[in-house]
Amino acid sequence: MGPMDDPKDALLSQLADAIRDISGLPECRSALKKMYSNLVRRVKLLSPLFEELKDGYEELGDDEVRGFESLLVALGSAKELLRSVNDGSKLFQALHKDIIAGKFQQVTELIEEALSQIHCDKLDISDEVREQIQLVHAQFRRAKGRMDSPDLQLEMDLAIAQKEKDPDPAILKRLSEKLQLRTINDLKKESLAFHEMVISSGGDPEDCFEKMSYLLRKLKDSVVMGNPEAGASEGEKGVIKHRSPIIPDDFRCPISLELMKDPVIVSTGQTYERSCIQKWLDAGHKTCPKTQQTLLHTALTPNYVLKSLIALWCESNGVELPKKQGNCRSRKCGSSGLDCDQAAIDALLKKLANGNSEQQRAAAGELRLLAKRNADNRVCIAEAGAIPLLVELLSSTDSRTQEHAVTALLNLSINDGNKRTIVNVGAIPDIVDVLKNGSTEARENAAATLFSLSVIDENKVSIGAAGAIPALVDLLCLGTPRGKKDAATAIFNLSIYQGNKVRAVRAGIVAPLMSFLKDAGSGMVDEALAIMAILASHQEGKMAIGEAEPIPVLLEVIRTGSPRNRENAAAVLWSLCTGDVQYLKIARDLGGEEALKELSENGTDRAKRKAGSILDLLQRIDVVADP
């Protein structure tokens, strides 16, 4: 057996590689610099341990192997967090510093916990390395209980810059220095990170999108006014005038914050750059990014008036008129001015309706891809009458055809109008049948389709009535990791309707949820807690959760979980403890009071309220017990 075949050597090499990767990460250039560099510095100091152990021949004990395995997982989390800080929006990080600081705390705790399992005195290492590792462990232990002191100047500057229409230039200069957004190039990278975040996250209900957009515009203007050549190449410097004109806010796309080339209006009346809003819609979003209102339709209407005004402004200010990107290659579809290849769609529908089984399979596969590609295709395919034909193919005996059909319906259902058509042609029982009996991929996509359809409230009732929930619970227990996620999302959404909570409980959902909660490696802790919080609001759900002895694991999440998970764990605990002294006593005996006090001071608003309510109940039982 070669040296790399030894599991011990493989584990030590992976740890050495993880430390090397973290040590090689670029320097942080954001408001999180201190947290970031402290974590990297401490991880670097672990390197000699693994270099020395790799050169040794001593076997590791089971406890050490377990500790090293835990450390490898913790370092993986650290690397992911550090990379996300490097690649992410600096403004977002500054505005959400507390939440990200919480993530650094979680990673620090994971590393410290893993180091606690590694007993240096049992390892064949030199005294110098042993002392260094003990020192690093002590640093992690101290860091675990200590949050960085807040940057009050930064918080004040951010607050003023958001509130005032024309903030003091000195404030904007301080912000651009602190956030390392000093040059045009820095701001371009920030715009890109911001743009990607908006597209992938679906916006932020707490006006974060609006705040960041506003602040980024102010910082761009500040940098351009103060130093128009900052970050420009030699060639660009000749083009930049003595002072670049500031682009009026109305001429900027709210997503990219750049001057619009091809402005279009969505159904809420807001205007966006065509390519940006199209990317947003193609990602499956159904809301207006700026207002968060649901879009009544996905048609985009050219804003000719604004385009003319932009052209006049460009001419007056000596700015080169932006060129519209791309030409319309395919012919227009339907009366709504949508851009898609109608002839190709019609040909595919003929094959669906009249072709042999091979042609039907191929046509369903093509429609699946077309429906995924963009919003216009989704409208055109539905208008051409594809939905009833695809629903018929859900009962196909050919598993590949069935997969294509259910996935095509999933992609079409991104459009709200198509959701209604799919339900109206009676598709729900057939989709549930695929969920019960289809191939692995078909079952996963059937679950995702039911989630998509359940966004419309009345569909929650009919999906539950069609027997979907026991089949979703089955997928939750036995599916692939992706299948479990799809099932959990669908169950959560369906359980907003009271009747479906009972169905989920009676289908035996509580046992798998508890096993996910107890296994941090399941990757399902977030989903399990979110579903439990919604089920605990129903008496039958509360009873089933209570019987599963959940208090210890709920308190553990309240002590160590993410802000959202702590909030949901507190909500479940509150439901259990309300009207039931037995659970209150268990929580108290397990030291819950201290964890709840900490949550009532540092949790999310909802978590603080729930923790406060449970603490009130605990005080009442103390009064009763101590007359």
Side-chain angles (χ1 to χ4, degrees):
M1 183 164 76
M4 283 312 294
D5 295 331
D6 184 345
K8 178 202 88 166
D9 286 346
L11 177 59
L12 294 174
S13 289
Q14 285 176 299
L15 282 159
D17 290 346
I19 291 168
R20 201 174 303 116
D21 288 348
I22 289 171
S23 304
L25 287 170
E27 189 186 346
C28 180
R29 298 177 69 242
S30 78
L32 303 172
K33 184 174 182 175
K34 189 176 173 189
M35 281 180 266
Y36 180 102
S37 52
N38 279 343
L39 181 56
V40 171
R41 177 178 53 75
R42 289 176 191 129
V43 168
K44 270 185 190 175
L45 292 170
L46 295 171
S47 180
L49 171 65
F50 299 105
E51 295 304 329
E52 201 161 291
L53 284 171
K54 267 167 62 186
D55 295 337
Y57 296 99
E58 190 196 21
E59 283 301 308
L60 297 174
D62 288 348
D63 287 349
E64 276 63 48
V65 168
R66 273 195 293 274
F68 286 146
E69 284 172 345
S70 299
L71 184 59
L72 187 59
V73 172
L75 291 175
S77 299
K79 187 162 67 171
E80 201 176 309
L81 175 60
L82 292 164
R83 280 198 175 139
S84 74
V85 167
N86 257 324
D87 299 338
S89 156
K90 294 172 182 179
L91 263 176
F92 180 83
Q93 289 166 15
L95 289 167
H96 294 79
K97 200 175 174 193
D98 289 351
I99 293 170
I100 300 168
K103 291 182 181 176
F104 274 93
Q105 274 291 306
Q106 280 177 286
V107 163
T108 299
E109 285 167 21
L110 283 174
I111 296 174
E112 194 278 327
E113 198 177 311
L115 290 173
S116 297
Q117 297 173 53
I118 299 163
H119 303 292
C120 287
D121 48 343
K122 292 183 183 176
L123 298 173
D124 182 22
I125 52 175
S126 63
D127 289 344
E128 288 93 336
V129 169
R130 186 176 289 110
E131 283 168 14
Q132 180 165 326
I133 299 309
Q134 285 166 345
L135 183 70
V136 178
H137 188 191
Q139 287 182 8
F140 272 108
R141 200 182 300 118
R142 278 200 304 275
K144 190 175 79 165
R146 186 181 64 212
M147 294 287 274
D148 280 336
S149 53
D151 186 335
L152 297 175
Q153 182 71 64
L154 175 63
E155 288 177 15
M156 202 182 302
D157 286 347
L158 281 168
I160 293 167
Q162 285 171 66
K163 279 179 191 159
E164 293 186 7
K165 192 177 177 194
D166 293 307
D168 183 339
I171 289 175
L172 293 172
K173 190 164 188 341
R174 265 202 309 270
L175 281 174
S176 74
E177 289 292 324
K178 177 67 79 171
L179 302 178
Q180 302 268 321
L181 295 172
R182 300 189 182 107
T183 67
I184 305 288
N185 215 24
D186 291 338
L187 287 157
K188 276 183 184 170
K189 283 181 191 165
E190 176 66 15
S191 289
L192 191 63
F194 172 52
H195 186 186
E196 288 303 319
M197 187 193 80
V198 171
I199 294 295
S200 62
S201 72
D204 189 304
E206 295 171 1
D207 295 333
C208 172
F209 176 82
E210 215 36 55
K211 286 178 193 170
M212 286 177 64
S213 170
Y214 178 79
L215 284 170
L216 193 46
R217 285 201 302 268
K218 293 288 173 205
L219 287 169
K220 274 188 173 182
D221 293 345
S222 168
V223 169
V224 167
M225 289 292 285
N227 184 8
E229 298 189 2
S233 68
E234 285 304 315
E236 287 171 324
K237 284 177 185 176
V239 177
I240 296 172
K241 300 283 187 290
H242 172 62
R243 182 156 287 188
S244 299
I246 292 174
I247 301 166
D249 284 352
D250 290 343
F251 293 177
R252 296 180 191 265
C253 170
I255 295 174
S256 69
L257 305 178
E258 302 296 339
L259 183 65
M260 286 187 273
K261 304 171 180 69
D262 187 10
V264 291
I265 306 166
V266 297
S267 67
T268 57
Q270 297 292 331
T271 296
Y272 298 92
E273 173 61 42
R274 184 186 289 274
S275 60
C276 295
I277 192 66
Q278 190 63 62
K279 190 174 176 186
W280 169 269
L281 295 169
D282 290 348
H285 301 306
K286 297 161 285 291
T287 53
C288 170
K290 192 166 182 182
T291 65
Q292 293 295 310
Q293 290 173 275
T294 301
L295 295 170
L296 301 174
H297 56 78
T298 52
L300 304 175
T301 310
N303 191 335
Y304 294 116
V305 174
L306 186 62
K307 195 170 181 180
S308 302
L309 290 171
I310 290 171
L312 282 170
W313 179 85
C314 287
E315 200 177 323
S316 313
N317 288 277
V319 175
E320 191 181 342
L321 189 65
K323 291 182 178 63
K324 181 180 170 183
Q325 291 173 325
N327 295 313
C328 186
R329 292 191 309 276
S330 49
R331 75 182 176 87
K332 297 292 173 187
C333 150
S335 57
S336 42
L338 299 171
D339 189 9
C340 65
D341 195 338
Q342 189 64 49
I345 290 168
D346 289 343
L348 289 169
L349 258 62
K350 278 179 187 159
K351 287 180 185 172
L352 272 195
N354 307 313
N356 60 32
S357 58
E358 247 174 71
Q359 288 172 321
Q360 284 183 324
R361 185 195 310 130
E366 284 287 316
L367 285 168
R368 164 186 181 170
L369 293 173
L370 282 172
K372 184 179 182 180
R373 196 163 295 153
N374 64 50
D376 283 0
N377 281 354
R378 291 191 273 277
V379 175
C380 294
I381 290 166
E383 283 182 356
I387 288 173
L389 298 171
L390 288 165
V391 171
E392 272 183 47
L393 290 182
L394 292 176
S395 337
S396 170
T397 51
D398 179 73
S399 66
R400 201 79 185 109
T401 304
Q402 191 183 58
E403 276 171 28
H404 288 328
V406 78
T407 312
L409 288 168
L410 167 60
N411 295 336
L412 288 169
S413 74
I414 291 167
N415 175 288
D416 279 354
N418 290 350
K419 283 183 177 65
R420 291 185 170 82
T421 309
I422 292 166
V423 173
N424 290 344
V425 299
I428 287 175
D430 294 308
I431 297 168
V432 171
D433 201 49
V434 174
L435 176 66
K436 289 176 179 173
N437 305 309
S439 67
T440 301
E441 187 185 343
R443 292 180 75 205
E444 289 171 358
N445 289 341
T449 309
L450 291 172
F451 162 68
S452 177
L453 297 176
S454 70
V455 169
I456 296 171
D457 281 342
E458 58 263 33
N459 293 347
K460 292 179 175 66
V461 182
S462 44
I463 292 168
I469 288 176
L472 287 167
V473 171
D474 189 48
L475 184 62
L476 185 72
C477 296
L478 304 170
T480 63
R482 188 192 137 190
K484 288 178 178 176
K485 294 265 183 195
D486 286 332
T489 315
I491 291 166
F492 174 81
N493 217 34
L494 289 166
S495 296
I496 291 167
Y497 168 62
Q498 285 286 78
N500 288 336
K501 291 176 188 173
V502 177
R503 290 188 174 109
V505 170
R506 291 178 185 173
I509 194 172
V510 171
L513 293 182
M514 284 302 298
S515 69
F516 293 147
L517 267 193
K518 289 173 183 172
D519 175 14
S522 69
M524 292 290 291
V525 174
D526 299 7
E527 290 83 354
L529 277 164
I531 295 170
M532 281 175 80
I534 210 165
L535 295 180
S537 65
H538 188 283
Q539 187 57 31
E540 201 161 324
K542 175 176 163 176
M543 284 171 64
I545 294 167
E547 285 163 12
E549 300 182 355
I551 308 287
V553 72
L554 290 174
L555 287 174
E556 183 58 26
V557 173
I558 287 170
R559 288 187 187 102
T560 62
S562 67
R564 181 56 53 85
N565 285 350
R566 295 176 82 202
E567 176 185 304
N568 281 329
V572 177
L573 188 60
W574 176 81
S575 292
L576 292 171
C577 291
T578 307
D580 203 318
V581 177
Q582 168 201 349
Y583 295 123
L584 276 169
K585 286 179 176 169
I586 296 170
R588 184 192 58 191
D589 294 345
L590 290 168
E593 195 165 349
E594 190 183 337
L596 289 161
K597 274 180 183 163
E598 193 277 328
L599 185 62
S600 71
E601 290 163 9
N602 300 314
T604 62
D605 287 346
R606 179 169 171 247
K608 285 177 181 174
R609 288 197 303 274
K610 295 291 181 191
S613 300
I614 303 166
L615 287 167
D616 288 345
L617 293 170
L618 283 169
Q619 282 173 351
R620 280 184 219 162
I621 62 161
D622 287 342
V623 169
V624 171
D626 188 18

